[in-house]
Each structure stands twice: as C-alpha cells, then as structure tokens.
Amino acid sequence: KRNSLTVNDPKKKQWHCQSKLFASQAAVPSSLSTMQPTSSPFSRLRQWWKQLFYALKRKVYNVLWKGTAPDSRYSEYSLPPGPFRCPLRRFGFDVRESTPEGGPGVFFKRQAALLQYPRVWKGLTKTKDPFVVVSGASTVKKVLNLEFDMLISNAVIPFSARIVGTNSIRFANDKKEHSLLRKLVGAGSSAEAVREAVPLLQQTAQLQLDHLMESSKTENGNIGVICIEDACHDFTLHVAWRQILGLRLEKQEEPIFLEQTRIWLSGLFDSSAMEQSMAAREYLVSLIDNRIKELEQEGPDGSTLSKMLFATDNEQDYDDTPRRLTRDQVIDNSLLLILAGSDTSAGTLTAAIFSMGLQQNVWRQVVEEQQELMNRQGSKLDKSQLDQDCPYLEAVIKETMRLFPIIGGSARATEETVVIDGEYQVPKNWAVLYDRYQTHYCCPVT
C-alpha cells in the first residue's frame, strides 16, 4: 500500500509515478530461494505468501514495464532512482525534447531537477525502452571506457541513421575499425589541416561580415537590427561548403545550398519533416559525389573532403593493402562533419554573443585582446596566434560551452549488464545517456 520508496539516501524519499501497488523493482528479490524460512509455522506461512506476492508483482511489472527488470545476477546492486511512469496514464519520456528558449536537453534539465540532481537516474522512453542517464566527469569517463567492450552505439540512434547514413564513424562498433576510421576521417582535422585552413576561415568570416553589414543597412544608411542566430548559421554553413566540402558554388547556388542544408538538418528532431529532409539529403549527396569525381580527376585540394578521400592507413595490415575510406564512407562522414560542425558551432557562437551582450565588460575585454593582437602582429591570423595569444577569448568560449552545452545528450546501449560506480546496475539492452548539462552545472571539475 505504500506510495513512496527510499532509494540510496534513507533520509530522502523518491516519489514515483507508478501505481501504489508497483512501488519499485528494487523491492523484488533477485532469487526467492535466498529467503530462509523461520521455525514458526505462522512465520513460514507469512513467508510463503510474501514470496507469492513478490513473484506475482514481478510478473505484472514485466508486463507493464517490459524489459525493465533488474539482472538477478547482480542482486547486490540496485537500479538507479527515477520513475518509469504509470502505463495507465502518460507513458514514457521524450528524451529528444527541445525548445527554442531552452535548446536541446530540456527533458534532462527538468527531470534531473525533479530528482534533485542524482548523478545516475533512470527512465523509460515513449517507445518503452528503458534508459539510464549518467553525469559527472568521473562517472561519464568510467562509462565511456566501457565502449566497444560492453557498450555499443548504433543500437539506440536510428533517427540519425537516416540523416547521416550508416557508413560514418558514428556507427563503427568494432574497436579496431573505429580506430582506423578516426585516423582516416581525422586527416582533415589534424593540427596541420587546421593550420592550413585558418586563412580560408578568416576570409569566410570577413565575407560574411561584409554581407551582413550591407544587407542590414536601412534606407538612411544606418545599420538596422541584425539576427545574430541567422548570421552565425549562415557563417558556419559557408565554412561547411567552402572548407569541409570544398565546393565551387556560384553566387546564385549559395542560397540554395544553405536552404537545402537547413531542410536536411530539420529532419533530425522533427519526424514530420523527414520526407523533405531525405530529399534535401539527396541534393547534398549529389554535390559531394560530383566533388569527389572532380578531386579524383584533378587531385587533392585543401578541403576536409579531399583529405578524407586521399587519406591512407599504412600502419595496419589489411591484406597487405593500405586502407582508404570507401566512397560511401567519405560521403556519410562528410555529412556527419556538417551535422556535428556547422549547427553546433552556430549555436555556440550565438550563445557566446548573447552572453557577451549581457556582460558587456566581457565583450570589451575580448575586443581589447584582439585589438592588441592586431597591433602587434597585423590583421592576418594564423593558428599559433589563436593557440597562444587569445587566452581570454578561449576562456569565454569554454565558459559558453559549459553554460550552454549545445548537445543535450548522446546514447549508447549495453551489451551486458553494467555496474556504475559500484552502486547501480544497468541491465543488458538498456540505453545509457550522458547528461552534459547536469555535468557542467553540478560537477566541481567542470
């Protein structure tokens, strides 16, 4: 008849949304055989009824919350705190919930606050899949160290498979294959590649600023209202087609590329836009495929796409033939870089400018640091200047990423039951998600 359950801390009661009859799985014994009868006949009868009740309770629970029972082999470890919600009412959580005001990870922020920010907690998705959310630098690092041994990635992200494709590094579950792909895909993001890209990045930024100032002029020649969010998105997408893909777009083709990329990205969190997103993806794939053909005929250029296409692995032995990325791998990883690099960078830039607008003394210090750099070394930037001569700017960007993590969380799936921090068990086939917001908000390290 109880409607509350003490979890972890005996002084705190975690209130659950399940019905009063099904308070928690943690109360279910892992093995009925471990319960020893007493000598009293009345006690033995009471013990028998108790065993029957728990067995019935477990059966009913597995029907209502299928696949959520704890692993009996790890009976000394409890499931993390958190509700699964009553199946007779609203079922499950939307872990991909986001809002224009709150950004991604709205569900994580709200639910973690309701549970008083435990470092590990559980829930159930709308598709009735159980998951565990972990936070804190040390806890997340321990869990990530289990990747490829007890955790896999592609079992829990089918929505991104259609957006990016299944040939990207995101879907490599073999440790050796993942290491190889990291090397080949990372050829376009090496320190040398970034050093070579800085002049083009500066040129793209200057062109975008010139366009922004010109397009924002009012009739009397003054600068009008500027939408920073749109400006940052346009800038990062220009970087995408110029530097990542190395495309040769005509002036009239640029707005088409920007619009098609936005439509493609809209399918990531909006299932109703999936058909249009897939059509836009075909447009992008055709551009990448044509550029690959040009590179094969003309040779490499300085783009990220080119470095991936011509990268080889000479250290690992694969039938005595150096490994290279396949055409599909180049295409899918190019799309992954656009997804991971353009939209996230635009969000971070927008949040940084917004924050500096609220703290204008910070804005002035950033400007002063850059002005001093220009006075000493001129207006032409290089990577060494960004690495060594902009400490305040770097601090502002890192603090922005701490306060406004662009990604709400990422997920893996357990291949075997995992024990976290020697306290909680995560049964096989559960999803494990990492809450960046709570880690940044609560963890003393961050």
Side-chain angles (χ1 to χ4, degrees):
K1 295 181 180 180
R2 64 183 181 177
N3 59 5
S4 66
L5 174 70
T6 303
V7 181
N8 302 328
D9 187 349
K11 296 181 181 179
K12 295 182 180 180
K13 289 186 176 181
Q14 301 291 339
W15 292 83
H16 291 250
C17 298
Q18 292 100 322
S19 63
K20 294 181 180 181
L21 178 61
F22 312 112
S24 170
Q25 295 176 358
V28 182
S30 61
S31 174
L32 297 179
S33 63
T34 61
M35 305 178 67
Q36 300 297 325
T38 61
S39 58
S40 168
F42 178 75
S43 297
R44 288 199 299 269
L45 180 62
R46 185 173 61 181
Q47 192 84 351
W48 183 84
W49 277 109
K50 192 175 182 179
Q51 291 178 6
L52 180 63
F53 170 76
Y54 279 133
L56 177 63
K57 177 180 178 179
R58 191 180 183 90
K59 289 286 187 182
V60 174
Y61 208 103
N62 282 335
V63 171
L64 297 179
W65 293 280
K66 187 176 181 181
T68 61
D71 191 333
S72 60
R73 298 172 300 169
Y74 296 82
S75 57
E76 65 270 33
Y77 306 106
S78 64
L79 292 177
F84 283 138
R85 290 195 169 182
C86 177
L88 303 179
R89 300 172 64 186
R90 185 182 174 188
F91 204 163
F93 299 102
D94 182 6
V95 298
R96 293 161 58 190
E97 182 181 357
S98 62
T99 64
E101 297 80 14
V106 170
F107 159 73
F108 296 98
K109 298 174 187 177
R110 182 177 61 249
Q111 193 64 19
L114 289 174
L115 296 173
Q116 299 183 351
Y117 299 103
R119 71 179 184 280
V120 185
W121 50 277
K122 71 178 186 299
L124 202 69
T125 67
K126 286 187 174 181
T127 55
K128 306 180 183 180
D129 298 313
F131 64 86
V132 162
V133 178
V134 297
S135 61
S138 61
T139 303
V140 171
K141 186 175 181 179
K142 290 176 183 176
V143 174
L144 284 174
N145 286 338
L146 301 174
E147 193 161 20
F148 303 114
D149 295 324
M150 303 180 75
L151 297 178
I152 56 176
S153 61
N154 64 7
V156 291
I157 48 172
F159 65 93
S160 66
R162 296 185 65 186
I163 299 295
V164 175
T166 57
N167 296 290
S168 74
I169 189 175
R170 186 69 178 85
F171 286 83
N173 281 324
D174 178 76
K175 191 171 186 177
K176 188 175 181 181
E177 181 70 11
H178 186 271
S179 177
L180 173 65
L181 289 178
R182 281 189 64 179
K183 180 177 181 180
L184 297 177
V185 174
S189 304
S190 65
E192 180 64 21
V194 174
R195 185 188 65 79
E196 295 175 357
V198 168
L200 180 58
L201 291 174
Q202 184 177 9
Q203 179 187 4
T204 303
Q206 188 61 56
L207 290 173
Q208 186 64 20
L209 284 172
D210 292 342
H211 170 73
L212 183 65
M213 301 298 287
E214 185 65 30
S215 61
S216 301
K217 284 185 179 180
T218 60
E219 293 181 357
N220 56 11
N222 297 325
I223 301 298
V225 176
I226 296 175
C227 179
I228 291 298
E229 183 177 10
D230 290 345
C232 291
H233 273 95
D234 285 349
F235 168 62
T236 55
L237 288 177
H238 273 80
V239 172
W241 73 260
R242 291 175 187 271
Q243 177 58 39
I244 296 179
L245 302 181
L247 299 178
R248 301 167 177 173
L249 298 180
E250 299 293 337
K251 191 73 173 178
Q252 65 273 16
E253 294 178 299
E254 292 182 18
I256 299 175
F257 173 84
L258 299 179
E259 181 61 23
Q260 290 298 311
T261 305
R262 287 195 182 95
I263 295 174
W264 169 61
L265 292 172
S266 69
L268 189 62
F269 290 106
D270 185 1
S271 57
S272 64
M274 186 57 70
E275 185 176 349
Q276 295 91 334
S277 176
M278 290 299 97
R281 184 184 188 278
E282 289 301 316
Y283 166 82
L284 295 175
V285 169
S286 66
L287 288 180
I288 297 172
D289 193 46
N290 290 335
R291 184 58 188 150
I292 290 175
K293 293 176 182 177
E294 292 174 352
L295 290 170
E296 289 173 338
Q297 294 176 357
E298 302 170 5
D301 61 9
S303 66
T304 305
L305 172 64
S306 171
K307 293 186 182 297
M308 285 195 295
L309 180 64
F310 294 105
T312 58
D313 174 59
N314 297 315
E315 296 181 6
Q316 301 186 33
D317 185 13
Y318 294 89
D319 299 329
D320 297 326
T321 303
R323 274 286 300 272
R324 294 177 60 175
L325 295 175
T326 66
R327 199 180 200 85
D328 288 338
Q329 286 175 329
V330 172
I331 291 173
D332 286 2
N333 281 293
S334 297
L335 293 175
L336 178 64
L337 290 175
I338 296 175
L339 170 64
S342 62
D343 219 37
T344 54
S345 298
T348 299
L349 286 171
T350 303
I353 295 174
F354 169 75
S355 299
M356 288 188 287
L358 296 178
Q359 305 288 336
Q360 295 191 24
N361 61 312
V362 176
W363 166 262
R364 286 191 290 270
Q365 290 186 64
V366 169
V367 173
E368 289 173 4
E369 181 182 70
Q370 294 187 13
Q371 193 64 53
E372 290 175 4
L373 176 61
M374 291 176 60
N375 292 339
R376 292 196 313 268
Q377 303 190 36
S379 60
K380 187 176 180 180
L381 286 174
D382 59 47
K383 187 176 183 298
S384 63
Q385 294 173 348
L386 296 175
D387 290 340
Q388 302 170 14
D389 299 326
C390 302
Y392 193 79
L393 174 62
E394 182 176 0
V396 169
I397 294 173
K398 286 185 175 180
E399 181 66 358
T400 300
M401 296 175 72
R402 186 186 73 84
L403 293 173
F404 304 98
I406 298 303
I407 303 298
S410 54
R412 302 291 187 270
T414 55
E415 285 195 302
E416 297 293 339
T417 298
V418 173
V419 175
I420 297 179
D421 281 356
E423 185 174 0
Y424 301 114
Q425 64 160 285
V426 183
K428 180 180 179 180
N429 295 328
W430 280 42
V432 180
L433 299 91
Y434 314 111
D435 187 354
R436 292 171 176 84
Y437 175 82
Q438 185 174 332
T439 295
H440 294 177
Y441 186 76
C442 299
C443 181
V445 176
T446 54

